[in-house]
């Protein structure tokens, strides 16, 4: 399908990295994102001054109905009704969710039991278009790589609460295990 996306929104955008990368890759001119972290939004706004960011949660989005051609949600809690509300009639939603082996090495090193991730069906009122499973091992070269990865996860808070030293973790690879799903109001 030809890309007719004019506006993209990232629900739980953090510092805006994925939003910026996808928008540039697809040549989408208008970019928006929200996150509950005021600190992350400040970083995003400074780094990507041509984008529009808001401190908000994904259950009460401060946008009009039918506002976005493409909505992105990567590892963020989402409200199906809210995301369905803000996409245009021909819009799409891309959702990235972790699977059971995602970051398993980090959980094991920190001493946390990995919970089975239930796979609820998403967006019953939208059309399911496609799902891609991605399983890949990434090499960790040094403690800086590990620290950067941990800072993007809730595991850093747990690590700090247990007073564990990142440099003492013997991790040289990490498994990425995710599903990428695409939904739309209309069949793609």
């Amino acid at each position: 399908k030809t890309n007719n996306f004019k506006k993209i929104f990232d629900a739980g955008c953090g510092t805006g990295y994925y939003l910026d990368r996808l928008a540039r890759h697809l040549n989408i001119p208008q970019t928006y994102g929200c996150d509950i972290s005021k600190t992350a939004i400040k970083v995003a706004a400074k780094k990507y001054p041509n984008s529009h960011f808001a401190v908000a949660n994904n259950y009460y989005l401060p946008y009009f109905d039918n506002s976005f051609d493409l909505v992105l949600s990567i590892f963020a809690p989402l409200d199906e009704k809210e995301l369905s509300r803000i996409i245009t009639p021909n819009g799409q939603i891309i959702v990235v969710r972790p699977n059971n082996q995602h970051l398993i090495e980090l959980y094991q090193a920190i001493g946390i039991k990995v919970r089975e991730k239930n796979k609820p069906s998403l967006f019953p009122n939208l059309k399911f278009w496609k799902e891609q499973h991605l399983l890949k091992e990434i090499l960790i070269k040094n403690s800086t790589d590990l620290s950067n990865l941990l800072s993007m996860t809730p595991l850093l808070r747990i690590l700090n609460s247990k007073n564990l030293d990142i440099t003492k973790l013997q991790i040289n690879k990490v498994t990425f295990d995710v599903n990428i799903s695409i939904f739309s109001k209309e069949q793609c």
Side-chain angles (χ1 to χ4, degrees), residues 1 6 20 57 64 69 73 90 92 110 128 133-134 140 164 185:
K1 179 177 176 177
K6 303 285 185 257
D20 178 68
N57 72 47
F64 293 115
D69 305 303
S73 175
N90 294 317
Q92 294 181 15
I110 295 171
F128 171 75
H133 179 230
L134 175 64
I140 302 295
L164 295 173
K185 284 187 179 177

Side-chain angles (χ1 to χ4, degrees), residues 33 53 65 85 91 98 100 126 146 152 163 178:
F53 295 103
D65 295 357
R85 178 184 68 77
N100 291 324
L126 297 180
L146 183 58
M152 296 188 302
N163 292 319
V178 299

Side-chain angles (χ1 to χ4, degrees), residues 29-42:
Q30 296 181 46
T31 56
Y32 296 77
C34 82
D35 201 281
I36 60 170
S37 169
K38 191 181 220 180
T39 303
I41 291 299
K42 283 182 181 180

Side-chain angles (χ1 to χ4, degrees), residues 128-142:
F128 171 75
W129 184 49
K130 184 178 185 179
E131 183 167 85
Q132 180 71 46
H133 179 230
L134 175 64
L135 179 66
K136 184 173 178 108
E137 286 185 352
I138 304 294
L139 295 178
I140 302 295
K141 297 174 190 155
N142 52 48

Side-chain angles (χ1 to χ4, degrees), residues 18-132:
Y18 294 115
L19 173 63
D20 178 68
R21 293 290 298 238
L22 187 59
R24 283 192 293 135
H25 180 74
L26 296 176
N27 198 27
I28 301 173
Q30 296 181 46
T31 56
Y32 296 77
C34 82
D35 201 281
I36 60 170
S37 169
K38 191 181 220 180
T39 303
I41 291 299
K42 283 182 181 180
V43 170
K46 189 172 189 171
K47 191 166 186 175
Y48 308 108
N50 294 326
S51 294
H52 308 277
F53 295 103
V55 176
N57 72 47
N58 293 336
Y59 298 93
Y60 303 100
L61 296 171
Y63 304 104
F64 293 115
D65 295 357
N66 304 310
S67 293
F68 301 100
D69 305 303
L70 183 60
V71 171
L72 182 62
S73 175
I74 300 175
F75 304 131
L78 55 86
D79 184 295
E80 295 175 30
K81 187 176 176 183
E82 275 295 275
L83 295 187
S84 298
R85 178 184 68 77
I86 64 170
I87 64 169
T88 60
N90 294 317
Q92 294 181 15
I93 299 173
I94 299 174
V95 178
V96 180
R97 296 185 294 171
N99 284 316
N100 291 324
Q101 296 302 305
H102 188 63
L103 306 179
I104 187 87
E105 297 85 357
L106 295 177
Y107 283 90
Q108 290 170 342
I110 295 171
I112 300 171
K113 184 178 182 204
V114 179
R115 293 183 310 206
E116 283 285 315
K117 306 215 178 18
N118 59 358
K119 304 289 188 274
S121 61
L122 293 174
F123 304 105
N125 297 326
L126 297 180
K127 294 180 181 176
F128 171 75
W129 184 49
K130 184 178 185 179
E131 183 167 85
Q132 180 71 46

